[in-house]
Amino acid sequence: MADYTASDFRKGLRVELDGIPYVISEFNFVKPGKGAAIYTCRLKSLIDGNTYVRNFRSNDTLKKPDLDEKTMRFSHNEGEDYIFMDENFEQFTIAASILGDSRFFLFEDCEVSVLYFNGRPVDVTLPTFIEKEVLETEPGARGNTATNVLKPAKINGGFEIQVPLFINQGDIIKIDTRTGEYSDRVLKR
Amino acid sequence: MSSSHHERARLESLKPALAFRSLILSSIRAWFEKAGFIEVDTPVRLPTPALEVHIDAIPSGNAFLRTSPELHMKRLLAAGYERIYQMGPCFRLGERGRLHHPEFTLLEWYRASSDYLQILQDTEALLTHVASTTFLSSHQPPTSNHSSSFPLPPPPWPRFTVSELFLAHAGWDPVRDYNDRRFEEDLVNKVEPALPRNTPVFVMDYPAAASALSRRKPGRVDVAERWELYISGVEIANAFSELTDAGEQEQRFRQWASQRQADGRPVYPLDEAFLSALRLGMPPSGGIAVGIDRLVMVLAGKSALDDVMTFREADIQREITA
């Protein structure tokens, strides 16, 4: 069933195409002289974040996706199963494959937003910044405050991220969960 | 900051662009006066909008706001006016984008006993005049944010046919084998991006199927005497040798009306007053429509209409719905 016609399209609208929910992340309207309108959309998948550009015409339609968002807190994991609880302490299990690298950034009681598509969880959004202890890294180069030279550091779960040379084992660092990249040092050991 | 503070800050920053626009408008009027044209004003509210397949009109009471002044200006031509121009607001429903604004300023001019090539020479002369007067004056164009700025190179400006551009950049010839959807998408995605940026260019001789209100080339059923002007890759103007055959005009209107019906768009009544004027006879003529806001935008070196519109669609809508 058609829920949106091309004239409804705008930046930020969530749509469904070929069974995948997307958000229109960029939108442009063009109309070559005397011709029919072309609605150029950059579609960003709400599942894997991949984007692609697609042209739509006036008579094209897209479905409104069945999406739901729930706020939950992380409890613990049992192997590949990650257990979350909603405000009524009801438990929900989300597979590691849906969390991706985000699973390494979780901590107990971390508040997340879970996106459901057709009743199935498809994406988990963490707070933009989280703090983690560096469990393992080469000793810091004292006095080297450059932030553009990086070395690997391990956080819990053995996940490796790139940090500046002055970071030491035991430091608490801030990580941007959108990119999975180091952002700042919070506490020096 | 409140919205009125935002508005004040925005309008203040627009001063150079609006002064530049004002200069362009007076320079345009000066050129037409010198070239022996008279400025006319035709109705903004019409009982029926000019029928086109892909243009929708905004209703206004029991009438419509004009999408262009074209049909009334042709009635003046039919009544014996030889050189007329008009610059004023036009309205198109739902047209909103970087290069579209539902309320915009259109310049149209027509010459009796003439054709699209004479209009092309007018265009080169007019824009060269506008460029020289606005850029020699004390007003400098607002700081440009891309490289295509004045002065325009001296004419003649390059002319390319639709066929040669499509064969070079899209690998097919829409004049031989027309497909409207493919034509429009390849025009926007392949041909327009390949047009030179360092000079205005004319894209000439459109497929007859995309001819709108233009006459066919003598001896050619497949090509219309229509061109479009591009500056900095932006479509600025559309010109025709005007169709003057009342029978063919009525047939095209009826065909577009049924096309609109098939597309689920509102079907407007035929403009009988215009068709009657054509039946009484209209001289062979050339005419053109120029998007003034776009012209100001490219000459100011801006990349979006919103950079040169005094009040933008979002501002207008906010006031309407407030």
Side-chain angles (χ1 to χ4, degrees):
Chain A
M1 193 189 73
D3 295 321
Y4 296 122
T5 58
S7 58
D8 298 323
F9 296 176
R10 62 182 188 277
K11 197 173 161 180
L13 188 72
R14 289 169 162 193
V15 297
E16 180 180 336
L17 178 64
D18 302 330
I20 296 172
Y22 293 94
V23 59
I24 297 176
S25 60
E26 285 170 35
F27 173 78
N28 196 27
F29 171 97
V30 291
K31 196 171 183 188
K34 302 293 178 194
I38 301 173
Y39 302 80
T40 306
C41 297
R42 179 175 289 277
L43 298 172
K44 183 177 180 200
S45 163
L46 291 171
I47 293 177
D48 58 18
N50 287 339
T51 71
Y52 73 104
V53 174
R54 183 154 163 166
N55 292 322
F56 296 94
R57 309 305 295 268
S58 303
N59 292 330
D60 291 342
T61 58
L62 285 174
K63 275 176 67 176
K64 181 178 179 177
D66 172 11
L67 290 169
D68 190 20
E69 253 166 313
K70 288 184 188 154
T71 303
M72 299 184 194
R73 290 179 182 277
F74 176 58
S75 173
H76 63 284
N77 71 308
E78 296 165 4
E80 297 286 279
D81 288 344
Y82 285 72
I83 316 296
F84 293 81
M85 276 194 283
D86 71 5
E87 55 190 1
N88 303 316
F89 302 103
E90 195 183 334
Q91 289 200 355
F92 296 86
T93 301
I94 293 172
S97 58
I98 289 163
L99 284 156
D101 286 347
S102 292
R103 68 187 190 276
F104 299 111
F105 305 143
L106 286 169
F107 53 89
E108 199 182 323
D109 229 24
C110 172
E111 190 174 281
V112 300
S113 169
V114 182
L115 183 70
Y116 285 82
F117 174 53
N118 294 332
R120 288 183 300 109
V122 291
D123 191 38
V124 178
T125 307
L126 273 59
T128 309
F129 294 105
I130 55 105
E131 293 171 6
K132 281 284 169 189
E133 182 181 349
V134 174
L135 299 180
E136 197 183 318
T137 191
E138 294 286 309
R142 194 176 293 278
N144 188 336
T145 54
T147 50
N148 57 346
V149 187
L150 301 173
K151 63 175 183 177
K154 280 186 180 162
I155 60 171
N156 58 341
F159 188 67
E160 217 170 70
I161 72 165
Q162 296 294 315
V163 298
L165 294 180
F166 59 79
I167 295 293
N168 280 304
Q169 196 170 309
D171 285 355
I172 307 288
I173 59 169
K174 193 190 271 185
I175 298 167
D176 186 332
T177 63
R178 295 167 301 186
T179 57
E181 286 171 0
Y182 167 91
S183 153
D184 209 351
R185 178 166 64 184
V186 181
L187 193 73
K188 197 163 178 281
R189 181 180 57 128
Chain B
M1 218 166 36
S2 76
S3 64
S4 52
H5 280 98
H6 276 295
E7 172 173 311
R8 182 173 290 198
R10 180 175 176 275
L11 292 179
E12 264 176 28
S13 71
L14 265 182
K15 270 183 187 167
L18 295 188
F20 184 62
R21 176 190 173 100
S22 167
L23 209 57
I24 288 175
L25 300 191
S26 52
S27 168
I28 288 171
R29 290 200 161 92
W31 186 86
F32 279 109
E33 191 177 338
K34 209 170 158 216
F37 282 74
I38 63 167
E39 183 171 6
V40 297
D41 288 298
T42 60
V44 173
R45 286 168 305 147
L46 314 178
T48 182
L51 195 50
E52 300 216 25
V53 178
H54 300 296
I55 297 179
D56 293 340
I58 297 176
S60 167
N62 61 354
F64 294 95
L65 299 180
R66 66 180 179 190
T67 56
S68 91
E70 180 166 0
L71 302 189
H72 276 91
M73 293 189 73
K74 287 183 180 169
R75 281 157 72 178
L76 289 168
L77 287 175
Y81 288 76
E82 295 195 322
R83 289 189 290 274
I84 50 176
Y85 81 101
Q86 174 162 204
M87 193 152 47
C90 292
F91 305 82
R92 294 181 184 180
L93 184 67
E95 301 199 358
R96 184 72 184 108
R98 185 173 65 88
L99 299 175
H100 289 85
H101 201 268
E103 179 172 344
F104 61 104
T105 303
L106 206 56
L107 162 67
E108 294 208 350
W109 76 88
Y110 294 84
R111 274 182 185 270
S113 313
S114 184
D115 67 3
Y116 76 148
L117 295 178
Q118 175 62 49
I119 298 291
L120 189 150
Q121 288 183 5
D122 284 346
T123 305
E124 288 178 335
L126 168 68
L127 294 187
T128 303
H129 167 80
V130 167
S132 63
T133 52
T134 54
F135 278 77
L136 288 175
S137 79
S138 56
H139 289 265
Q140 286 301 306
T143 327
S144 82
N145 54 8
H146 65 95
S147 57
S148 65
S149 49
F150 271 72
L152 295 176
W157 298 327
R159 303 176 191 183
F160 302 104
T161 65
V162 167
S163 288
E164 65 184 340
L165 287 172
F166 271 75
L167 284 170
H169 304 296
W172 66 294
D173 182 358
V175 168
R176 288 176 62 96
D177 185 16
Y178 188 69
N179 172 322
D180 56 356
R181 188 171 176 133
R182 192 176 170 205
F183 177 70
E184 289 153 9
E185 291 187 8
D186 282 355
L187 179 65
V188 168
N189 296 320
K190 296 176 181 172
V191 174
E192 289 181 356
L195 294 174
R197 293 292 195 274
N198 58 351
T199 172
V201 293
F202 294 102
V203 177
M204 315 275 301
D205 296 350
Y206 278 66
S211 58
L213 301 179
S214 57
R215 161 180 102 185
R216 285 162 209 261
K217 252 191 149 154
R220 293 285 300 267
V221 291
D222 52 351
V223 180
E225 291 195 335
R226 170 184 170 200
W227 56 253
E228 293 230 1
L229 170 71
Y230 283 82
I231 305 179
S232 305
V234 176
E235 179 195 340
I236 298 292
N238 176 49
F240 304 145
S241 298
E242 303 297 340
L243 178 65
T244 54
D245 182 317
E248 188 175 350
Q249 182 70 77
E250 182 173 346
Q251 192 191 335
R252 286 194 203 178
F253 277 161
R254 290 191 186 282
Q255 186 191 328
W256 296 336
S258 47
Q259 179 68 50
R260 289 185 65 89
Q261 186 144 34
D263 291 345
R265 309 177 91 113
V267 180
Y268 307 121
L270 297 194
D271 189 334
E272 287 298 343
F274 167 65
L275 288 172
S276 306
L278 270 194
R279 283 184 207 111
L280 282 178
M282 173 179 145
S285 307
I288 181 172
V290 180
I292 289 298
D293 312 293
R294 284 191 187 179
L295 179 68
V296 173
M297 181 193 90
V298 297
L299 296 190
K302 302 286 187 184
S303 57
L305 278 187
D306 279 0
D307 295 338
V308 298
M309 301 300 287
T310 319
F311 293 95
R312 301 158 299 180
E313 178 61 9
D315 306 320
I316 297 167
Q317 283 301 331
R318 201 178 307 118
E319 286 176 52
I320 291 174
T321 56

